Amino acid sequence: MAPQKQVKHQCEIVITFGDCDPAGIVFYPNFYRFIDRTFHDWLRQWGSHDKLAARVDGLALGLIDCGATFHHVVRDGDVLKVELFITEWKRKTFKVEYEAFTNNILCLTAFEVRGLFQITEDKIRAGEVAPLRAIIDSQ
């Protein structure tokens, strides 16, 4: 049996008319905006995205891959609760997973694979994430 995921962060987002398409449901690219907001909100405990990246000699915690599955519609006026989990650490990447709910109904599952982008000899490359993990795991 797989170990239970531990929620690292939660963010509540009130859905507005502007988030929706003509059918009155959230336009799917906005879900990517919501998970990105949740990720950056989580990083605030270390000051900001920029400050955390700088602590590990990085330029950014950049996006390498992402995907989403939509389980239930979300409409204007709904409160979307987005939960963030760190589910995998590799040498140069880490995986962030998300689950989003309205009224305890699962609406979205999503993932991002991120890396620590560093500048070396005028090139951007993926650096080792172990120093980043040490900071995150210490919280």
Side-chain angles (χ1 to χ4, degrees), residues 11-84:
C11 187
E12 287 193 353
I13 298 162
V14 177
I15 303 303
T16 65
F17 176 81
D19 297 320
C20 300
D21 64 16
I25 61 176
V26 170
F27 184 47
Y28 79 92
N30 287 327
F31 283 105
Y32 287 99
R33 202 168 46 89
F34 301 153
I35 65 173
D36 192 60
R37 175 178 167 192
T38 301
F39 180 75
H40 287 91
D41 189 60
W42 173 59
L43 297 180
R44 289 270 173 230
Q45 65 190 298
W46 295 287
S48 69
H49 181 156
D50 293 345
K51 288 179 182 176
L52 179 58
R55 283 178 62 183
V56 290
D57 298 320
L59 175 65
L61 307 178
L63 192 60
I64 295 168
D65 190 14
C66 64
T69 302
F70 307 98
H71 302 278
H72 192 270
V73 299
V74 180
R75 299 180 183 280
D76 180 21
D78 286 344
V79 176
L80 189 69
K81 183 174 84 171
V82 183
E83 297 178 345
L84 177 152

Side-chain angles (χ1 to χ4, degrees), residues 66-119:
C66 64
T69 302
F70 307 98
H71 302 278
H72 192 270
V73 299
V74 180
R75 299 180 183 280
D76 180 21
D78 286 344
V79 176
L80 189 69
K81 183 174 84 171
V82 183
E83 297 178 345
L84 177 152
F85 311 84
I86 303 296
T87 59
E88 183 176 83
W89 290 95
K90 292 188 177 177
R91 195 163 111 334
K92 292 191 174 191
T93 63
F94 60 103
K95 187 173 188 179
V96 185
E97 293 186 21
Y98 301 88
E99 294 177 356
F101 302 85
T102 59
N103 297 317
N104 296 316
I105 298 169
L106 180 65
C107 300
L108 171 82
T109 52
F111 75 92
E112 297 176 319
V113 175
R114 289 185 174 263
L116 174 62
F117 293 178
Q118 296 177 316
I119 296 177

